[in-house]
Amino acid sequence: MKRKARLMQGNEACVEGAIAAGMRFFAGYPITPSTEIAELSSEKLPCVGGKFIQMEDEIASMAAIIGASLTGLKSMTATSGPGFSLKQENLGYAGITEVPCVVVNVQRGGPSTGLPTSPAQGEIMQARWGTHGDHPVIALTPSSVRETFDLTIRAFNLSEKYRIPVILLMDEVIGHMRERVELPDTSELEIIDRKRPAGNKEDYKAYKADEDLIPPMANFGEGYRYHVTGLVHDETGFPSNSSVVADKLVRRLADKIEMHKDDIIQWEEQNTEDADIVIVSIGGVSRAADTAMKMLRSKGLKVGTFRPITVWPFPEKRLEELAEKVNTFVVAEMNLGQMVLEVERIIKNKAKIERVNKVNGEAIYPEEIVTKIEEVL
Amino acid sequence: MPSAVVDKFFRTNKLPQIWCPGCGHGIITRAITVAVEKLGFDRDKICVVSGIGCSSRATGYLDFDTLHTTHGRALPFATGVKLANPDMKVIVITGDGDCTAIGGNHLIHACRRNIGITTIVFNNNIYGMTGGQYSPTTPKFDKGTTAPYGNIDKAFDISNLAASAGATYVGRSTAYHTNLLISLIENGLKNDGFSLIEAISSCPTYYGRKNKKGDAVNMLEWQKDHAVNISAASKMTPESLEGKFLIGEFKNSPEPEYTSEYQKIIDRFNKE
């Protein structure tokens, strides 16, 4: 089958992927550099019978997608740094209430208003720990336009499958970059929908998990008449002050993701078989890492790359294995050192760890990674 | 039909509720169910959404699809529910602090959109759940645990705020004036667009005690003695209205509802 190639922006691919995944509700608030996602959603959703709403703020947008998802619509919002800070309140709510939804963060320079039109990766740790309390997180980091399409679909699938808000952690490089892409036919896509309850409506316990630790989910309006609360709740969904119930819930939420880590975690590696040096990066930086690797390989250096596709949960096991034979890991990221903390935690003293960091609003260039590696050799 | 309606619409296995003895919130919550009963709505198509605070705990006791959300955010959650599934009747239960302080921006925008949500504000003039701090509706110079020398903020008039922000049905009643309250909620639910019913409640535990308002009965009597129906007020002199407050239907001017306007956009593509 001949496919039509298109020149497309990362933000545009995100919307294409979302609609292909079944997104039928988007609530957002204008913010650079993610606004195209809202604009395109407003244009495309009504054409497929879906709904778009521009809310009064970022907090309200996050709230609205949770409400919409509870009625059964696949829902998404998109934002950038300052808005991502505001999303945190209801991200936590979606986490404890296990409401599937997708939150896109096209990272720009921070802190605060920072550099609105420039790339950064300053929210790697915020994506993990931004909302209060112990909670699991799934965050995906595309490094090309086509991968943005694929990972947006995957974000919806994981969100539906595990009943968890999934963060699509883009950066401005990927959001605004245009590439030639061929999108797959919708018939080729694997689309996952949330697990539905079986049995009598009267007997439905909204938070009674199956053996896979995931509770089946009924939609509002179907007659299940159940209660959803951000308070600690038992398997019926009603609040409880019991220490036993609290412990069980918070641990189940964490275990729900831990148990399925192998299904969730993805990474990509190149030339690691013989590598002495491995460049670790995500998103837009991985493109520079690829070029840097090629430049160094041409000079005869054994350099490979390691790119977490799920930055959370982090591909811990594979990195540990690599540390058995790799001498040096070079962690390149557009921040002052966030992902490197995870790399250090995993590798400990099994290998040398070097950092390439940039926070001036420019992308990391391949030469900067090359220079760093030549320096430390 | 007092007990029948409680039996029918309350999750009676969750009772007794957590509110203090003498709190006005129970009366108001029951009034909502009476209005629903009178209108004969399909209960499986009703969603009740609340925020955080004493009033917002009401959702736990009501046997519908119920959504107890984050502080101040009931309206945007409810907006998501309503826009995603316009067939549902969406009711928001909120308090004076939840709705007009932390959720104030959401309130005015929900009013402006005229989205089909009926909001019942349980106004007890205080933050009860956290122990009696002054709220945006604590009368000037009254006391709260964070206003030990008297509150110097001017109070919000929630009903007028909602009416001027674009709500198409607005009314106010009290826990004492239950029949009026029920009929206002009923009319609010009949309105396709955004309705706001301000229900003056009473908090003998915090607001009452801090401000020497007496016990629960004294506070309900105060409502009886100080509320003036808007129809009667037009015939009264300014002097005789001094220290009183108005109850009744303040605004009833239907306009096209938000989700049906959105449906028109979708329909354009269905035709093509």
Side-chain angles (χ1 to χ4, degrees):
Chain A
M1 185 170 56
K2 197 172 179 326
R3 296 196 183 106
K4 209 175 145 195
R6 284 169 60 187
L7 187 66
M8 193 184 282
Q9 201 182 49
N11 284 346
E12 196 179 346
C14 174
V15 177
E16 293 287 350
I19 289 180
M23 171 178 79
R24 291 298 177 269
F25 191 95
F26 183 99
Y29 185 82
I31 186 166
T32 305
S34 78
T35 304
E36 293 86 359
I37 298 174
E39 288 173 339
L40 280 165
S41 296
S42 73
E43 185 187 324
K44 289 178 180 290
L45 276 170
C47 309
V48 293
K51 314 283 173 68
F52 168 90
I53 187 167
Q54 183 169 308
M55 294 297 287
E56 55 273 16
D57 61 34
E58 299 276 5
I59 299 169
S61 310
M62 188 64 217
I65 66 165
I66 298 169
S69 182
L70 278 163
T71 74
L73 297 195
K74 290 188 185 176
S75 305
M76 183 170 94
T77 187
T79 189
S80 186
F84 195 55
S85 292
L86 294 167
K87 301 290 189 209
Q88 298 303 327
E89 176 190 55
N90 288 327
L91 255 171
Y93 185 87
I96 196 172
T97 56
E98 301 177 72
V99 177
C101 54
V102 174
V103 179
V104 183
N105 175 11
V106 186
Q107 295 168 94
R108 70 189 216 189
S112 190
T113 312
L115 292 163
T117 58
S118 303
Q121 295 176 326
E123 283 105 72
I124 296 173
M125 282 300 169
Q126 189 184 22
R128 179 64 193 88
W129 295 113
T131 194
H132 56 276
D134 283 290
H135 57 275
V137 157
I138 299 177
L140 314 179
T141 49
S143 72
S144 72
V145 172
R146 171 58 203 263
E147 196 183 37
T148 302
F149 176 86
D150 296 335
L151 288 189
T152 307
I153 295 173
R154 188 153 198 266
F156 274 98
N157 283 347
L158 291 172
S159 163
E160 291 283 318
K161 188 170 181 182
Y162 296 112
R163 293 193 58 179
I164 185 174
V166 174
I167 297 163
L168 186 72
L169 195 61
M170 296 170 66
D171 54 56
E172 196 271 347
V173 171
I174 303 304
H176 279 164
M177 180 178 63
R178 287 175 199 276
E179 281 185 306
R180 178 187 183 278
V181 286
E182 286 174 19
L183 298 183
D185 191 75
T186 45
S187 61
E188 298 165 45
L189 302 172
E190 191 205 3
I191 304 297
I192 299 174
D193 295 323
R194 60 192 69 170
K195 187 166 65 176
R196 306 273 297 135
N200 287 335
K201 287 179 180 174
E202 295 74 32
D203 301 332
Y204 177 58
K205 287 185 178 146
Y207 290 92
K208 187 173 174 16
D210 295 334
E211 274 179 14
D212 61 5
L213 303 184
I214 306 155
M217 185 171 175
N219 297 327
F220 275 7
E222 292 178 333
Y224 288 87
R225 297 206 304 266
Y226 68 102
H227 188 57
V228 176
T229 179
L231 287 165
V232 160
H233 44 269
D234 61 20
E235 60 184 24
T236 67
F238 288 92
S240 167
N241 281 328
S242 148
S243 54
V244 176
V245 168
D247 187 76
K248 196 178 163 195
L249 174 66
V250 178
R251 286 183 193 279
R252 178 176 65 77
L253 293 177
D255 292 346
K256 174 174 80 168
I257 299 309
E258 182 66 25
M259 180 180 185
H260 300 283
K261 246 177 12 187
D262 291 345
D263 178 51
I264 297 165
I265 290 174
Q266 285 185 339
W267 72 91
E268 184 189 66
E269 54 186 81
Q270 293 182 75
N271 294 330
T272 47
E273 304 79 22
D274 65 342
D276 298 322
I277 300 163
V278 166
I279 309 165
V280 184
S281 67
I282 56 169
V285 181
S286 299
R287 307 174 72 90
D290 280 4
T291 309
M293 175 188 68
K294 286 171 195 153
M295 289 163 75
L296 291 160
R297 282 262 162 191
S298 72
K299 292 180 184 179
L301 291 172
K302 288 178 178 170
V303 177
T305 59
F306 183 75
R307 178 172 74 87
I309 297 172
T310 50
V311 68
W312 305 117
F314 197 85
E316 180 166 351
K317 212 158 63 181
R318 182 57 189 152
L319 195 69
E320 255 177 342
E321 287 166 12
L322 286 175
E324 298 298 329
K325 48 183 186 165
V326 171
N327 297 326
T328 307
F329 290 89
V330 178
V331 184
E333 47 187 334
M334 290 185 279
N335 56 51
L336 290 180
Q338 297 192 14
M339 186 168 61
V340 71
L341 301 176
E342 187 68 2
V343 173
E344 285 170 354
R345 182 186 72 76
I346 294 162
I347 292 177
K348 298 184 180 71
N349 52 8
K350 284 185 213 151
K352 235 167 78 179
I353 297 167
E354 298 290 343
R355 304 175 176 210
V356 177
N357 304 108
K358 204 166 178 184
V359 287
N360 66 353
E362 290 175 7
I364 290 178
Y365 301 123
E367 295 76 10
E368 292 170 296
I369 301 173
V370 169
T371 306
K372 181 73 184 186
I373 289 173
E374 287 175 337
E375 256 173 42
V376 301
L377 270 184
Chain B
M1 43 180 174
S3 60
V5 83
V6 169
D7 273 345
K8 182 167 176 186
F9 290 116
F10 279 66
R11 290 163 171 150
T12 46
N13 63 338
K14 298 292 166 197
L15 298 174
Q17 24 79 352
I18 61 160
W19 297 317
C20 306
C23 174
H25 287 4
I27 301 171
I28 301 165
T29 306
R30 180 185 165 275
I32 296 170
T33 60
V34 175
V36 166
E37 170 75 352
K38 285 186 165 185
L39 291 166
F41 289 152
D42 175 359
R43 68 188 300 171
D44 290 345
K45 298 285 176 200
I46 294 175
C47 178
V48 190
V49 186
S50 64
I52 294 293
C54 292
S55 59
S56 290
R57 293 302 285 264
T59 43
Y61 307 114
L62 294 170
D63 191 10
F64 306 102
D65 280 322
T66 50
L67 182 57
H68 177 227
T69 70
T70 44
H71 198 17
R73 319 300 177 207
L75 281 166
F77 275 89
T79 298
V81 171
K82 181 68 185 177
L83 180 57
N85 186 352
D87 292 340
M88 294 198 85
K89 290 280 173 192
V90 180
I91 299 170
V92 164
I93 292 177
T94 177
D96 41 305
D98 194 52
C99 182
T100 67
I102 191 163
N105 196 37
H106 307 310
L107 171 67
I108 57 174
H109 288 277
C111 292
R112 174 177 70 86
R113 281 186 202 108
N114 194 35
I115 188 163
I117 296 170
T118 298
T119 297
I120 323 292
V121 188
F122 292 36
N123 180 2
N124 61 1
N125 312 101
I126 204 88
Y127 284 90
M129 188 66 86
T130 45
Q133 299 76 31
Y134 69 99
S135 86
T137 63
T138 301
K140 199 166 181 177
F141 307 125
D142 276 4
K143 288 180 179 167
T145 56
T146 46
Y149 312 113
N151 161 39
I152 58 169
D153 289 10
K154 204 169 141 183
F156 257 143
D157 180 327
I158 300 177
S159 293
N160 276 317
L161 175 67
S164 19
T168 45
Y169 187 88
V170 179
R172 180 194 289 140
S173 187
T174 75
Y176 177 83
H177 300 86
T178 316
N179 289 337
L180 173 66
L181 180 61
I182 292 166
S183 73
L184 292 174
I185 297 172
E186 214 183 318
N187 291 339
L189 285 167
K190 279 195 258 180
N191 177 36
D192 286 336
F194 189 84
S195 305
L196 182 135
I197 317 301
E198 182 183 355
I200 305 294
S201 189
S202 45
C203 175
T205 302
Y206 290 114
Y207 177 73
R209 202 152 44 110
K210 274 277 162 199
N211 292 290
K212 302 190 167 47
K213 300 284 182 188
D215 62 14
V217 175
N218 298 139
M219 290 186 80
L220 284 175
E221 278 171 345
W222 182 90
Q223 292 175 2
K224 177 190 166 196
D225 297 339
H226 292 79
V228 176
N229 197 290
I230 190 165
S231 53
S234 57
K235 294 164 208 140
M236 289 166 69
T237 62
E239 294 76 40
S240 57
L241 283 169
E242 190 68 34
K244 310 275 191 196
F245 65 95
L246 298 182
I247 55 172
E249 184 178 272
F250 295 167
K251 186 177 178 184
N252 185 0
S253 47
E255 282 178 39
E257 191 269 335
Y258 185 85
T259 63
S260 47
E261 292 294 291
Y262 196 92
Q263 189 57 44
K264 288 180 193 165
I265 298 175
I266 294 176
D267 290 343
R268 276 191 229 165
F269 296 98
N270 285 341
K271 278 174 202 152
E272 280 159 19

